[in-house]
Amino acid sequence: MTELVCFENFKVEWLNTVTDGEPTTVQLGQRFAHKITSQWLDIDSDSLEVIYCDGAGDGGIDIAVLERGAALPNSEEEPDGDTWYLIQSKYGSAFAGTGTLLGEGQKLIETLVGNRSNLSSLSTALLEKLSNFRNQATEHDHIRLVYATVDPLSSTEQSALDYVRAMGRDKLGPLFDVSAVSVRTIYDAQAEETELAQRRHLTFDLSGHLAQAGSDLLVGSVSLTDLYAFLKAYRARTGTLDQLYEKNVRRFLGGRVRVNRGMQTTLRTAPEQFGLFNNGITITVSDFDVSGAGTYSLIEPYVVNGCQTTRTIWEVLSTKLDAGGSGKSEELELWRSRAEKGCVVTKIAKVGSDGEALLQDITRYTNSQNAVRERDFVAINQGFKTWHKELAEHYDLYLEIQRGGWDSQRAFQKQNPDARQFSRFASALDLTKVYGAGWLAEAGLAFGKNPPFLPNGNVFTRMTSENVAFGARDLYAAYLLYESGRRKGFGRGGSTARRQTKFLYYFILVNLLRDALERAQFASAVADVTNAAIRLFDRENDTQRLLEDLAAGLIDSYLTESDENSIFREPRFRDPDGFNFDLNAFLKSEQLGRNLEHTPRPQAQLHFTKMFMGMSQASARTTRQMIADHLTSSE
């Protein structure tokens, strides 16, 4: 569990990796934007694909990130929308308050509508992508301007975002939005792990018609406009609505599910009838107080049932009520009066400051009658918390289970030199992706996507079904391979051949190790590969280094254009109807390395490498024999 540290100490540690090595001003901005964006979006830092534009002619964009929506398996669900995040990195002196927000926001909007010239080549190329995006965008797609700052915006600065939002929607339509993220946002995202209740008790007022049913429950209704005011106040104070749903089993699914599309239709055409058709929402609080007639102060509120309802209300009402404009529209005024008559059935449950178990029960039972799959509840179980403790106790490894956790832990260690000092860490997502790529042959999927490797994803489900004892030991084996990849220069910062192939490296490494186990007639199931990986990689040795060199050499050869079995000779890579020479897309293919039909070249490379492993070396032993001897001697 991440220990309690003050924000200022956390901030110092968080910024250390940004300022390390005397970077230039441009590099500082890029590093800051890259780190805060990857943690905010919960995307593996090495896998975060960004377009850098910072500098002269950037058009108001420092970095841009495209987050593609994922298709969901339910037949009633459509592919999620895509979102372009246009990040303005306001690190240090680059941020000078409200003037910066308004000026930079106007600059970016003018760029998007084509009113700025003298753009850099990078910004020009990005603008073309954004123009194409706008031309084919649906109601589910978004362009979001994000101001990234060290400290959170003040209330006055938050108000400036409303002006930028209105200005952008006037020029670009409802697909445009604005938000802010700060280092404090990352700090607060650890609410549970860092005992947010000890740091501050966020209190928000909610107006409604609620009756007290016992000492711990309020039941009644809240008007659509009052609920929107509550959500708006929450976002203004925290900078995001995401924190409100941290205890929910899933995030907002947008308009891709039928029920959400139905809610949107009702809100737009008959808002006064919304309460008749909707099941309502459940909010848990650590405490509540009746602060006036029809007004209730909610301390540490979380929406545990009703994420889809509240976010759909937010999406529709924000486009209706905060579109900007100094005049009046009779149509909008009529809609507003109808919306004020609409309501949401609301239940507010007090769980107390130490009511985590009760909160989880409420989350489970209030969702049990909805179309929430059982696997969604994995998000609130104790699995990763247990592995966090076990990895610390048995392997002296800090498992980061919430973004920013390692920065917080380092700050705590500096504050408390007598406390346990970790020197090794890894994020939970990194390790599940290493395991999925290596043990389950999902190298392409691991490079391209994160959701399948999270607790409600299909690859994660396979991990725990194909290895029923999956746990801390498997994660530690994945960590050892992760460190092996870092030593060999795979991932961000590596050579061209190795920058995009770290997951392919894990796949090759496990493939070669499993072959050695099978040839030596050792057991080679996923659990057996875990045990072999720990025995071979836990301490550096010549056998381990030889296997690493073989795997790395195979990938270097595969990425060498002149090689007979290179990726550039793959039929599907060259096929105009296939990947058409798109290296990035090919390396994200779910079929990467799996079989001869889709990717014959790495299969040929593996065949030759395995043959080499069976040849005698200078010691008169084959590589396979060296591996077998090492595994036997280390038992």
Side-chain angles (χ1 to χ4, degrees):
M1 176 176 176
T2 303
E3 302 289 350
L4 180 65
V5 296
C6 70
F7 171 62
E8 291 303 320
N9 288 337
F10 172 87
K11 181 169 66 175
V12 169
E13 286 302 320
W14 194 95
L15 291 172
N16 272 344
T17 54
V18 174
T19 59
D20 185 49
E22 299 182 357
T24 65
T25 302
V26 171
Q27 288 174 329
L28 273 173
Q30 290 179 347
R31 286 185 182 182
F32 177 76
H34 192 285
K35 180 171 181 176
I36 201 168
T37 302
S38 66
Q39 293 192 355
W40 180 53
L41 296 178
D42 271 336
I43 296 176
D44 170 16
S45 178
D46 285 348
S47 299
L48 181 69
E49 292 185 24
V50 302
I51 299 173
Y52 291 102
C53 300
D54 192 18
D58 62 18
I61 305 169
D62 293 333
I63 68 171
V65 177
L66 173 60
E67 184 179 50
R68 295 187 181 276
L72 297 181
N74 191 298
S75 60
E76 295 187 351
E77 300 174 358
E78 300 173 351
D80 196 3
D82 298 339
T83 299
W84 271 103
Y85 294 96
L86 308 181
I87 316 297
Q88 290 194 354
S89 176
K90 301 306 173 191
Y91 176 77
S93 59
F95 181 59
T98 302
T100 301
L101 301 175
L102 296 174
E104 291 295 306
Q106 182 177 5
K107 178 180 176 182
L108 179 137
I109 292 166
E110 290 178 351
T111 297
L112 294 180
V113 298
N115 290 342
R116 293 187 68 86
S117 57
N118 300 322
L119 296 176
S120 68
S121 58
L122 287 173
S123 295
T124 300
L126 173 61
L127 183 59
E128 183 178 355
K129 284 188 176 183
L130 293 172
S131 296
N132 291 332
F133 177 79
R134 289 174 57 197
N135 289 336
Q136 57 190 357
T138 69
E139 61 181 350
H140 311 309
D141 300 318
H142 300 280
I143 293 176
R144 181 181 291 189
L145 164 60
V146 181
Y147 294 100
T149 60
V150 174
D151 295 304
L153 301 183
S154 67
S155 57
T156 302
E157 291 162 349
Q158 284 284 353
S159 298
L161 300 189
D162 294 331
Y163 288 105
V164 176
R165 183 177 299 107
M167 183 168 35
R169 288 183 174 175
D170 179 58
K171 300 288 186 181
L172 301 164
L175 91 164
F176 181 80
D177 202 357
V178 183
S179 59
V181 60
S182 68
V183 178
R184 183 72 190 230
T185 307
I186 308 303
Y187 177 70
D188 288 344
Q190 303 173 76
E192 183 179 354
E193 294 304 315
T194 51
E195 303 177 34
L196 178 61
Q198 293 184 24
R199 296 201 306 267
R200 59 193 179 108
H201 293 276
L202 290 174
T203 302
F204 299 91
D205 286 342
L206 176 66
S207 297
H209 301 283
L210 303 171
Q212 193 158 350
S215 60
D216 299 331
L217 185 65
L218 295 172
V219 180
S221 66
V222 174
S223 74
L224 294 173
T225 51
D226 283 338
L227 181 58
Y228 177 66
F230 166 79
L231 296 172
K232 191 173 180 180
Y234 191 97
R235 195 177 81 155
R237 187 168 174 188
T238 65
T240 176
L241 285 178
D242 292 344
Q243 188 174 314
L244 188 60
Y245 306 105
E246 282 186 352
K247 309 298 182 181
N248 207 310
V249 296
R250 59 185 180 184
R251 292 293 192 250
F252 182 48
L253 301 178
R256 66 180 182 263
V257 293
R258 182 178 299 174
V259 66
N260 287 8
R261 297 197 299 272
M263 283 192 287
Q264 290 176 352
T265 300
T266 301
L267 287 169
R268 294 180 186 280
T269 61
E272 69 278 9
Q273 296 181 338
F274 188 83
L276 299 176
F277 307 141
N278 186 266
N279 289 332
I281 65 175
T282 300
I283 301 173
T284 62
V285 296
S286 63
D287 201 357
F288 59 72
D289 182 50
V290 181
S291 56
T295 302
Y296 305 85
S297 294
L298 309 185
I299 302 173
E300 292 184 277
Y302 291 103
V303 174
V304 297
N305 179 250
C307 175
Q308 312 311 310
T309 295
T310 55
R311 285 302 297 266
T312 302
I313 290 171
W314 169 264
E315 295 286 337
V316 174
L317 267 66
S318 66
T319 62
K320 294 284 190 181
L321 302 182
D322 284 315
S326 57
K328 286 191 176 182
S329 164
E330 291 185 6
E331 181 181 348
L332 277 177
E333 288 300 317
L334 176 60
W335 184 89
R336 181 193 293 270
S337 65
R338 295 172 66 188
E340 289 173 347
K341 298 175 184 176
C343 69
V344 181
V345 175
T346 303
K347 179 167 64 176
I348 299 173
K350 184 196 301 183
V351 299
S353 59
D354 299 317
E356 184 65 25
L358 177 59
L359 186 150
Q360 290 189 18
D361 286 341
I362 291 172
T363 303
R364 176 178 291 276
Y365 297 133
T366 55
N367 281 282
S368 62
Q369 295 179 353
N370 299 332
V372 178
R373 293 156 294 197
E374 182 63 26
R375 68 181 186 179
D376 287 321
F377 292 108
V378 177
I380 61 170
N381 75 5
Q382 295 294 314
F384 274 114
K385 293 182 180 179
T386 299
W387 299 331
H388 172 90
K389 294 178 181 177
E390 291 176 351
L391 285 168
E393 292 172 2
H394 302 304
Y395 302 104
D396 200 29
L397 174 67
Y398 179 89
L399 181 67
E400 184 181 59
I401 57 178
Q402 280 194 308
R403 53 192 173 181
W406 176 237
D407 294 307
S408 183
Q409 176 64 27
R410 285 189 304 170
F412 173 80
Q413 290 177 183
K414 284 191 174 180
Q415 275 184 222
N416 302 272
D418 294 332
R420 184 171 189 173
Q421 303 287 306
F422 290 96
S423 60
R424 303 190 298 176
F425 93 101
S427 80
L429 176 59
D430 281 342
L431 298 192
T432 56
K433 291 179 75 173
V434 172
Y435 187 91
W439 279 252
L440 303 183
E442 296 287 2
L445 193 62
F447 184 39
K449 297 179 181 178
N450 287 329
F453 302 87
L454 295 170
N456 63 339
N458 62 327
V459 179
F460 188 89
T461 301
R462 283 179 58 199
M463 292 179 194
T464 54
S465 61
E466 295 183 20
N467 179 6
V468 292
F470 181 86
R473 189 168 177 80
D474 299 281
L475 292 175
Y476 183 63
Y479 166 76
L480 294 175
L481 265 64
Y482 176 81
E483 285 298 301
S484 170
R486 290 185 62 183
R487 286 194 301 271
K488 303 301 289 185
F490 285 92
R492 189 160 57 97
S495 64
T496 301
R498 299 187 180 187
R499 187 166 54 247
Q500 297 174 291
T501 52
K502 69 174 185 177
F503 294 108
L504 187 59
Y505 173 75
Y506 307 138
F507 164 74
I508 297 295
L509 204 59
V510 171
N511 196 298
L512 296 178
L513 177 58
R514 181 179 280 120
D515 178 74
L517 294 176
E518 291 171 350
R519 299 280 185 157
Q521 297 186 330
F522 292 164
S524 59
V526 287
D528 302 309
V529 173
T530 289
N531 292 333
I534 292 176
R535 291 203 298 271
L536 185 60
F537 288 91
D538 200 19
R539 290 180 178 81
E540 288 196 56
N541 56 82
D542 291 339
T543 305
Q544 164 215 322
R545 284 189 283 270
L546 177 58
L547 187 62
E548 290 175 340
D549 288 342
L550 288 173
L554 187 157
I555 290 176
D556 289 343
S557 177
Y558 186 51
L559 269 290
T560 299
E561 192 165 359
S562 60
D563 194 286
E564 182 178 349
N565 284 308
S566 81
I567 192 172
F568 301 98
R569 297 177 184 269
E570 293 279 18
R572 287 180 58 79
F573 175 76
R574 303 169 65 89
D575 188 353
D577 296 324
F579 291 93
N580 195 26
F581 296 93
D582 187 336
L583 180 61
N584 187 61
F586 187 82
L587 288 171
K588 291 179 178 177
S589 168
E590 294 185 24
Q591 300 300 325
L592 180 67
R594 283 187 168 181
N595 53 54
L596 284 169
E597 179 184 355
H598 290 88
T599 50
R601 306 298 176 180
Q603 296 298 321
Q605 296 267 20
L606 276 168
H607 175 73
F608 293 134
T609 303
K610 290 173 182 177
M611 286 180 59
F612 177 80
M613 290 173 63
M615 298 178 182
S616 297
Q617 305 302 309
S619 62
R621 291 189 300 163
T622 68
T623 302
R624 292 179 190 144
Q625 289 171 335
M626 293 171 64
I627 293 173
D629 290 346
H630 182 92
L631 296 178
T632 302
S633 64
S634 61
E635 286 183 344

